[in-house]
Amino acid sequence: DAKTTQPNSMESNEEEPVHLPCNHSTISGTDYIHWYRQLPSQGPEYVIHGLTSNVNNRMASLAIAEDRKSSTLILHRATLRDAAVYYCILRDVDFGNEKLTFGTGTRLTIIP
Amino acid sequence: DTGVSQDPRHKITKRGQNVTFRCDPISEHNRLYWYRQTLGQGPEFLTYFQNEAQLEKSRLLSDRFSAERPKGSFSTLEIQRTEQGDSAMYLCASSSRDPNEKLFFGSGTQLSVL
């Protein structure tokens, strides 16, 4: 699996937008960009995924660079419940490689 | 949808003992994954099933580890002759047939080997 690079930690104020960056310079044409997050004492949970176009859902938005070598997860209005470790993962499903390979992620702290 | 269920939530054992964990996936999901997570690290892939077939095993899965999914429903992960280095959170996840479908994770089993 191609690797991703994320900052180890970030802080944000409550009720403000948060932009979590991810670099994936070796991404291949068939890699999807997935984001999961892990709240304290819980298993990871799916946030969003995309291939080329920007994506929105009820949890977040995913902005993908035109060359696909980087992406940004956007939380539009952070709450205390968004404090978690956020993982950016590349997933190539064309070769039957369905597993997710996690890195160390970005630990997001929300300041009240 | 009752989610992915793992049992027990916590297990304390002495070095050298055998332990077994159970995972009940979401009922219609045919893919089941096991991961291991240590403090400060992301989850590490261990193994994955499609129905009852074990399709991939990580090199992390030594011969002391065995996983089964006998009827394509629940799965068990057994660790024989536990070592202190086996102390970790063991996570189970399931997903549907679509290869790009999201994974649903359980809350994990925290293993402590004394």
Side-chain angles (χ1 to χ4, degrees), chain A residues 35-54:
Chain A
W35 284 82
Y36 280 72
R37 72 179 186 180
Q38 188 170 20
L39 302 171
S41 301
Q42 295 188 26
E45 66 173 343
Y46 168 84
V47 178
I48 201 166
H49 78 279
L51 183 62
T52 56
S53 303
N54 294 344

Side-chain angles (χ1 to χ4, degrees), chain B residues 101-113:
Chain B
E101 184 54 67
K102 59 189 175 185
L103 272 62
F104 291 83
F105 282 82
S107 296
T109 295
Q110 180 66 54
L111 173 66
S112 297
V113 181

Side-chain angles (χ1 to χ4, degrees), chain A residues 43-91:
Chain A
E45 66 173 343
Y46 168 84
V47 178
I48 201 166
H49 78 279
L51 183 62
T52 56
S53 303
N54 294 344
V55 184
N56 299 295
N57 67 21
R58 64 173 180 82
M59 289 181 71
S61 295
L62 176 60
I64 301 172
E66 195 169 337
D67 64 5
R68 300 211 323 126
K69 293 185 176 182
S70 65
S71 61
T72 302
L73 179 71
I74 302 166
L75 307 179
H76 294 287
R77 191 166 168 271
T79 70
L80 295 177
R81 288 179 295 180
D82 291 320
V85 179
Y86 287 78
Y87 298 98
C88 170
I89 302 165
L90 300 183
R91 192 181 192 196

Side-chain angles (χ1 to χ4, degrees), chain B residues 30-98:
Chain B
N30 68 341
R31 295 167 191 262
L32 187 147
Y33 306 77
W34 284 99
Y35 283 81
R36 180 174 69 187
Q37 186 173 26
T38 53
L39 200 62
Q41 302 298 312
E44 296 174 297
F45 171 78
L46 293 178
T47 189
Y48 137 69
F49 291 84
Q50 182 168 309
N51 299 313
E52 65 275 9
Q54 189 173 16
L55 296 188
E56 188 174 349
K57 290 167 58 173
S58 164
R59 285 173 290 178
L60 292 174
L61 213 64
S62 76
D63 57 5
R64 297 185 297 105
F65 288 69
S66 63
E68 294 183 342
R69 195 183 183 197
K71 296 183 180 179
S73 57
F74 74 91
S75 176
T76 58
L77 177 68
E78 181 184 15
I79 308 174
Q80 295 182 326
R81 305 181 304 280
T82 53
E83 302 172 356
Q84 287 186 325
D86 297 330
S87 296
M89 174 73 79
Y90 290 83
L91 293 161
C92 176
S94 70
S95 71
S96 68
R97 190 176 187 84
D98 181 347

Side-chain angles (χ1 to χ4, degrees), chain A residues 1 28-31 91-98, chain B residues 48 56 99:
Chain A
D1 290 333
S28 75
T30 53
D31 282 328
R91 192 181 192 196
D92 182 350
V93 298
D94 270 10
F95 296 94
N97 187 22
E98 289 87 358
Chain B
Y48 137 69
E56 188 174 349

